[in-house]
Amino acid sequence: LPSEVNEKFYGCGAPLPLGVSGLRFLDLGSGSGRDCYVAANLVGEAGSVTGVDMTAEQLEVARRHAADYCTKTLGYAKSNIEFKEGY
């Protein structure tokens, strides 16, 4: 995971299920996106991940690394993560 994403992670664990390949994953209160980055790998290139957070600063961090993480680290053709502002 990108170090900046881990540094801004304020969660209390990673309640991520196994066996979710190809599915859609929704993280409410996604913060820096740490769980979304982990989920991007779990759902695979055919799946998708959406993180929703109300904090613009956290969303900025989450978005900054998503494309490179998915394409360069995971080897996907394109990012399967998106982050949206919401409450």
Side-chain angles (χ1 to χ4, degrees):
L1 297 175
S3 61
E4 183 181 24
V5 170
N6 272 330
E7 291 166 5
K8 301 283 184 182
F9 176 67
Y10 304 116
C12 57
L16 302 171
L18 299 176
V20 294
S21 181
L23 298 180
R24 291 179 284 172
F25 182 91
L26 175 63
D27 182 10
L28 300 175
S30 59
S32 68
R34 181 186 165 274
D35 292 344
C36 292
Y37 282 81
V38 173
N41 189 30
L42 294 174
V43 301
E45 192 167 10
S48 64
V49 178
T50 301
V52 179
D53 201 87
M54 64 181 204
T55 310
E57 294 83 3
Q58 288 284 66
L59 288 168
E60 183 181 327
V61 171
R63 290 175 177 145
R64 184 174 11 254
H65 305 283
D68 278 351
Y69 179 76
C70 290
T71 58
K72 294 180 181 175
T73 303
L74 299 180
Y76 298 167
K78 62 179 186 166
S79 178
N80 66 345
I81 306 173
E82 68 175 328
F83 294 99
K84 299 181 177 273
E85 185 172 352
Y87 301 91

